[in-house]
């Protein structure tokens, strides 16, 4: 865990409650039929995270700062607009989902947990240095193993699971098509690769670019494995029993009468871990964006709030997310709005990163190859196509 740091945390943060909900819904509607597609997400994630890792390792600067210095304030504001709404809405939805997970595990109304959960995120980021924050998130990422145990507790037919995962199959049904689009549309989120560059800029020791890229690829593999086990856990229970769900907490609750208390608790624990890991990442990246726009010092290593308005931006970001969470809007609607913003904004921020990764003035001799850049642009096009198709089908 000491060796594999930034990439693991960045990759694991992609398994936020919005992604868990998407995969759970797909499992409840298509069982294991899309297991092969869940595994094929790995190359897309690996390409993008490897590029982000190289940019961060070579420049030792966050992506938002690089856009401002290379393209100017006008383009930097466009970058801000493309990422900020997605991050804030996703933070609000994830905060509500984390509170729902606590409510599910304790039997107490979720509204009692929104403020304490948000306050704990702020306390972690304000009182801890970057190294301490990273270590906490590394430990939290291990809690995703709960999904692995939940899958085994569901007692799936492993022969069928492996056949569907290793032999691609194609169907024309509406659930299958919508599920495929949803999986591909939720693959990449801008805050994940932005956080990768921020982490590498915060590292005390300079990371060799190749090692940083390997770390990022391992993190992408970790997130895809978790995808797959969520799909197995929900497919073996809800999918085979034709029990549709709309959210991740619905899935955890619905597992109880089918697979028993253990599977339900494990799934709820995994949902809580996904929120606990994603919320600090979302809060930090959002505050990083706002601070870059204002020219404030941006680091998690400052020792007090007075050292940098950056910490005030973190607090304000979480407070706004909590306020949105208290509105009489369901988490699924928040996620839908966030997905609309992401379908528009994520490809734009990805293109900015690809342009910087190939820019000689920014990267020098460390710029990425044409082949890797071409693969990155192909992923950006895929995000536009599949994200747009998923929204249209919804």
């Amino acid at each position: 865990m000491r060796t594999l740091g930034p990439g693991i945390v960045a990759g694991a943060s992609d398994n936020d409650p919005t992604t868990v909900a998407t995969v759970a819904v797909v499992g409840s509607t298509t069982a294991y039929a899309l297991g092969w597609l869940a595994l094929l997400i790995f190359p897309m994630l690996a390409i993008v995270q490897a590029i982000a890792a190289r940019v961060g390792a070579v420049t030792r600067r966050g992506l938002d700062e690089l856009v401002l210095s290379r393209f100017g304030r006008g383009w930097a504001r466009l970058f801000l607009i493309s990422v900020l709404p997605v991050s804030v809405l996703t933070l609000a939805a994830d905060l509500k989902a984390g509170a729902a997970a606590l409510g599910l595990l304790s039997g107490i109304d979720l509204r009692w947990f929104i403020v304490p959960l948000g306050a704990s995120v702020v306390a972690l980021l304000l009182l801890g240095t970057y190294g301490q924050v990273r270590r906490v998130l590394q430990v939290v990422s291990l809690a995703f193993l709960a999904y692995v145990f939940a899958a085994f507790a569901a007692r799936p037919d492993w022969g069928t699971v492996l056949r569907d995962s290793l032999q691609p199959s194609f169907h024309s049904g509406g659930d299958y098509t919508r599920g495929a689009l949803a999986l591909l549309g939720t693959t990449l989120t801008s805050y994940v690769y932005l956080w990768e560059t921020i982490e590498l800029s915060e590292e005390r020791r300079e990371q060799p670019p190749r090692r940083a890229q390997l770390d990022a690829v391992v993190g992408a593999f970790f997130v895809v494995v978790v995808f797959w086990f969520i799909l197995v856990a929900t497919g073996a229970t809800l999918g085979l029993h034709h029990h549709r769900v709309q959210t991740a907490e619905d899935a955890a609750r619905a597992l109880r009468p089918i697979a028993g208390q253990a599977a339900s608790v494990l799934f709820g624990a995994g949902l809580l871990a996904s929120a606990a890991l994603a919320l600090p990442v979302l809060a930090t990246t959002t505050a990083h964006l706002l601070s870059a726009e204002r020219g404030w010092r941006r680091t998690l290593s400052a020792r007090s709030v007075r050292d940098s308005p950056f910490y005030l931006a973190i607090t304000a970001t979480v407070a706004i997310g909590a306020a949105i969470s208290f509105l009489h809007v369901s988490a699924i609607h928040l996620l839908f709005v966030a997905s609309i913003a992401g379908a528009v904004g994520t490809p734009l921020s990805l293109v900015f990163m690809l342009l910087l990764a190939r820019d000689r003035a920014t990267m020098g001799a460390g710029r990425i190859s044409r082949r890797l850049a071409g693969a990155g642009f192909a992923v950006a096009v895929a995000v536009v196509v599949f994200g747009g198709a998923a929204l249209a089908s919804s």
Side-chain angles (χ1 to χ4, degrees), residues 6-7 52-58 60-61 130 195-207 212-213 215:
R54 189 165 190 87
V55 170
V58 171
R60 301 298 302 273
R61 299 164 77 185
Y130 164 73
W195 173 256
E196 178 80 40
T197 63
I198 292 172
E199 279 194 293
L200 288 166
S201 70
E202 292 269 7
E203 288 285 323
R204 289 185 179 180
R205 295 181 179 179
E206 186 174 345
Q207 288 265 19
Q213 286 180 291
D215 182 33

Side-chain angles (χ1 to χ4, degrees), residues 128-334:
T129 62
Y130 164 73
Q132 293 168 332
V133 170
R134 193 189 75 176
R135 284 191 291 273
V136 169
L137 297 184
Q138 283 176 321
V139 173
V140 170
S141 68
L142 293 178
F144 282 120
L145 294 175
Y147 288 122
V148 178
F149 295 125
F152 281 97
R155 298 184 181 89
D157 179 348
W158 288 106
T160 304
V161 171
L162 293 175
R163 186 184 67 246
D164 288 349
S165 298
L166 300 177
Q167 295 180 2
S169 59
F170 302 92
H171 306 281
S172 57
D175 287 338
Y176 185 91
T177 303
R178 282 190 295 270
L181 292 173
L183 280 178
L184 292 168
T186 192
T187 298
L188 296 169
T189 312
S190 51
Y191 76 83
V192 178
Y193 46 85
L194 177 56
W195 173 256
E196 178 80 40
T197 63
I198 292 172
E199 279 194 293
L200 288 166
S201 70
E202 292 269 7
E203 288 285 323
R204 289 185 179 180
R205 295 181 179 179
E206 186 174 345
Q207 288 265 19
R210 286 177 180 263
R211 181 173 173 177
Q213 286 180 291
L214 175 61
D215 182 33
V217 171
V218 172
F221 179 76
F222 176 77
V223 71
V224 169
V225 168
V226 174
F227 274 3
W228 187 76
F229 276 107
I230 296 171
L231 194 70
V232 171
T234 53
T237 51
L238 309 180
L240 295 184
H241 287 80
H242 307 290
H243 191 139
R244 294 169 178 262
V245 297
Q246 282 194 309
T247 65
E249 54 268 26
D250 286 347
R253 194 177 293 110
L255 284 173
R256 186 169 299 162
I258 300 174
Q261 178 75 12
S264 177
V265 170
L266 286 167
F267 201 90
L271 177 61
L272 178 60
S274 71
L277 194 144
L279 287 170
V281 173
L282 282 161
T284 304
T285 53
T286 304
H288 224 270
L289 288 165
L290 294 171
S291 300
E293 167 65 20
R294 304 300 300 173
W296 295 335
R297 183 186 177 195
R298 302 171 293 284
T299 177
L300 285 173
S301 298
R303 299 309 303 170
S304 73
V305 175
R306 289 177 297 178
D307 288 336
S308 173
F310 172 63
Y311 286 111
L312 298 178
I314 289 176
T315 306
T317 297
V318 176
I320 292 170
I324 296 173
S325 298
F326 273 110
L327 297 177
H328 293 292
V329 179
S330 68
I332 197 68
H333 288 141
L334 284 176

Side-chain angles (χ1 to χ4, degrees), residues 47-63 65-67 69-71 197 200 206-210 212-213 351-370 372-373:
I47 288 168
V48 171
Q49 291 303 103
I51 293 172
R54 189 165 190 87
V55 170
V58 171
T59 65
R60 301 298 302 273
R61 299 164 77 185
L63 184 58
E65 184 182 350
L66 290 171
V67 172
S69 63
R70 184 66 182 91
F71 299 115
T197 63
L200 288 166
E206 186 174 345
Q207 288 265 19
R210 286 177 180 263
Q213 286 180 291
V351 167
F352 272 117
M353 184 177 75
L354 293 170
L355 292 175
L356 287 167
R358 278 291 296 167
D359 183 51
R360 191 179 297 275
T362 301
M363 299 286 290
R367 65 178 184 160
I368 64 174
S369 66
R370 291 183 179 178
L372 184 55

